[in-house]
Coordinates of all heavy atoms in Angstrom, one line a residue:
E263 N -18.2 84.5 -12.3 CA -17.3 83.7 -11.4 C -16.5 82.7 -12.2 O -15.3 82.6 -12.1 CB -18.0 83.1 -10.3 CG -17.1 82.2 -9.4 CD -17.8 81.5 -8.2 OE1 -18.9 82.1 -7.8 OE2 -17.4 80.5 -7.8
L266 N -14.0 84.5 -14.5 CA -12.9 85.1 -13.8 C -11.9 84.0 -13.4 O -10.7 84.1 -13.5 CB -13.4 85.8 -12.6 CG -12.4 86.6 -11.8 CD1 -11.7 87.7 -12.6 CD2 -13.0 87.3 -10.5
K267 N -12.5 82.9 -12.9 CA -11.7 81.7 -12.5 C -10.9 81.1 -13.7 O -9.7 80.7 -13.6 CB -12.5 80.6 -11.8 CG -13.0 81.1 -10.4 CD -14.1 80.2 -9.9 CE -13.6 78.8 -9.5 NZ -14.7 78.0 -8.9
V270 N -7.9 83.4 -14.7 CA -6.8 83.2 -13.7 C -6.1 81.8 -14.0 O -4.9 81.7 -14.0 CB -7.3 83.3 -12.3 CG1 -6.2 82.8 -11.3 CG2 -7.7 84.7 -11.9
E372 N -20.6 93.3 -7.2 CA -20.0 93.8 -6.0 C -19.3 92.7 -5.2 O -18.2 92.9 -4.7 CB -21.2 94.3 -5.1 CG -20.7 95.0 -3.8 CD -19.9 96.2 -4.0 OE1 -20.1 96.9 -5.0 OE2 -19.0 96.4 -3.2
K373 N -19.9 91.5 -5.2 CA -19.3 90.4 -4.4 C -18.0 89.9 -5.0 O -17.2 89.1 -4.4 CB -20.3 89.3 -4.3 CG -20.6 88.6 -5.6 CD -21.8 87.6 -5.4 CE -21.4 86.4 -4.6 NZ -22.5 85.4 -4.6
Y374 N -17.6 90.3 -6.3 CA -16.4 89.8 -6.9 C -15.4 90.9 -7.2 O -14.4 90.6 -7.8 CB -16.8 89.1 -8.3 CG -17.6 87.9 -8.1 CD1 -18.9 87.8 -8.6 CD2 -17.1 86.7 -7.5 CE1 -19.7 86.7 -8.4 CE2 -17.8 85.6 -7.4 CZ -19.2 85.6 -7.8 OH -19.9 84.5 -7.7
K375 N -15.6 92.0 -6.6 CA -14.7 93.2 -6.9 C -13.3 92.9 -6.3 O -12.3 93.1 -7.0 CB -15.2 94.4 -6.2 CG -16.3 95.1 -7.1 CD -16.8 96.4 -6.5 CE -17.8 97.1 -7.4 NZ -18.3 98.4 -6.9
D376 N -13.2 92.3 -5.1 CA -11.9 92.0 -4.5 C -11.1 91.0 -5.3 O -9.9 91.1 -5.6 CB -12.1 91.5 -3.1 CG -12.5 92.7 -2.1 OD1 -12.3 93.8 -2.5 OD2 -13.0 92.4 -1.0
A377 N -11.9 89.9 -5.7 CA -11.3 88.9 -6.5 C -10.8 89.4 -7.9 O -9.7 89.0 -8.3 CB -12.3 87.7 -6.7
Y378 N -11.6 90.3 -8.5 CA -11.1 90.9 -9.8 C -9.9 91.7 -9.6 O -9.0 91.7 -10.4 CB -12.3 91.7 -10.4 CG -11.8 92.5 -11.6 CD1 -11.7 91.8 -12.8 CD2 -11.4 93.8 -11.5 CE1 -11.2 92.5 -13.9 CE2 -10.9 94.5 -12.6 CZ -10.8 93.8 -13.8 OH -10.3 94.5 -14.9
N379 N -9.8 92.5 -8.5 CA -8.7 93.4 -8.3 C -7.4 92.5 -8.2 O -6.3 92.9 -8.7 CB -8.9 94.2 -7.1 CG -9.9 95.3 -7.3 OD1 -10.1 95.7 -8.4 ND2 -10.5 95.8 -6.2
I380 N -7.5 91.4 -7.5 CA -6.3 90.5 -7.4 C -6.0 89.9 -8.7 O -4.8 89.8 -9.1 CB -6.6 89.4 -6.4 CG1 -6.8 89.9 -5.0 CG2 -5.5 88.3 -6.4 CD1 -7.3 88.9 -4.0
A381 N -7.0 89.5 -9.5 CA -6.8 89.0 -10.9 C -6.1 90.0 -11.8 O -5.2 89.7 -12.6 CB -8.1 88.5 -11.5
T418 N 2.3 84.0 -5.9 CA 1.7 84.7 -4.8 C 0.3 85.2 -5.1 O -0.7 85.1 -4.3 CB 2.6 85.9 -4.3 OG1 3.8 85.3 -3.9 CG2 2.0 86.6 -3.1
K419 N 0.1 85.9 -6.2 CA -1.2 86.4 -6.6 C -2.2 85.3 -6.9 O -3.4 85.5 -6.6 CB -1.0 87.3 -7.8 CG -0.4 88.7 -7.5 CD -1.2 89.5 -6.5 CE -0.4 90.7 -6.1 NZ -1.2 91.4 -5.0
V420 N -1.8 84.2 -7.4 CA -2.7 83.1 -7.7 C -3.2 82.6 -6.3 O -4.4 82.3 -6.1 CB -2.0 82.0 -8.5 CG1 -2.9 80.7 -8.5 CG2 -1.8 82.4 -9.9
K421 N -2.3 82.5 -5.3 CA -2.7 82.0 -4.0 C -3.7 83.0 -3.3 O -4.6 82.6 -2.7 CB -1.5 81.8 -3.1 CG -0.6 80.6 -3.6 CD 0.6 80.4 -2.7 CE 1.4 79.2 -3.0 NZ 2.6 79.0 -2.2
E422 N -3.4 84.3 -3.5 CA -4.3 85.3 -3.0 C -5.7 85.2 -3.6 O -6.7 85.3 -2.9 CB -3.8 86.7 -3.2 CG -2.6 87.1 -2.3 CD -2.2 88.5 -2.6 OE1 -3.0 89.4 -3.1 OE2 -1.0 88.9 -2.4
F423 N -5.7 85.0 -4.9 CA -7.0 84.8 -5.6 C -7.8 83.6 -5.1 O -9.0 83.7 -4.9 CB -6.8 84.7 -7.1 CG -8.0 84.5 -7.9 CD1 -8.7 85.7 -8.3 CD2 -8.5 83.3 -8.2 CE1 -9.9 85.5 -9.0 CE2 -9.7 83.1 -9.0 CZ -10.4 84.3 -9.4
E424 N -7.0 82.5 -4.8 CA -7.7 81.3 -4.4 C -8.3 81.4 -3.0 O -9.2 80.6 -2.7 CB -6.7 80.1 -4.5 CG -6.5 79.7 -5.9 CD -5.8 78.3 -6.0 OE1 -4.7 78.2 -5.4 OE2 -6.4 77.4 -6.6
V425 N -7.8 82.4 -2.2 CA -8.4 82.6 -0.9 C -9.9 83.1 -1.2 O -10.8 82.8 -0.4 CB -7.6 83.6 -0.1 CG1 -8.4 84.1 1.1 CG2 -6.3 83.0 0.3
K426 N -10.0 83.9 -2.2 CA -11.4 84.5 -2.5 C -12.2 83.5 -3.3 O -13.4 83.2 -3.0 CB -11.2 85.8 -3.3 CG -10.4 86.9 -2.7 CD -11.2 87.5 -1.5 CE -10.5 88.6 -0.9 NZ -11.3 89.2 0.2
L427 N -11.6 82.9 -4.3 CA -12.3 82.0 -5.2 C -11.4 80.8 -5.5 O -10.5 80.9 -6.4 CB -12.7 82.7 -6.5 CG -13.8 83.7 -6.4 CD1 -14.0 84.4 -7.8 CD2 -15.1 83.2 -5.9
P428 N -11.6 79.6 -4.9 CA -10.7 78.5 -5.2 C -10.9 78.1 -6.7 O -12.0 78.0 -7.2 CB -11.3 77.4 -4.3 CG -11.9 78.2 -3.1 CD -12.5 79.4 -3.8
L429 N -9.8 77.8 -7.3 CA -9.8 77.4 -8.7 C -10.4 76.0 -8.9 O -10.9 75.7 -10.0 CB -8.4 77.5 -9.3 CG -7.9 78.9 -9.4 CD1 -6.4 78.9 -10.0 CD2 -8.7 79.8 -10.3
K430 N -10.4 75.1 -7.9 CA -10.8 73.8 -8.0 C -12.0 73.5 -7.1 O -12.1 74.2 -6.1 CB -9.7 72.8 -7.7 CG -8.6 72.9 -8.8 CD -7.5 71.8 -8.5 CE -6.4 71.9 -9.5 NZ -5.3 70.9 -9.2

Side-chain angles (χ1 to χ4, degrees):
E263 178 180 332
L266 188 60
K267 290 167 70 172
V270 169
E372 185 65 31
K373 64 189 292 186
Y374 295 111
K375 283 186 177 180
D376 289 344
Y378 172 79
N379 290 335
I380 295 172
T418 298
K419 287 299 174 183
V420 170
K421 289 181 178 178
E422 284 183 27
F423 180 86
E424 287 194 299
V425 171
K426 300 291 183 179
L427 292 176
L429 294 177
K430 295 181 181 179

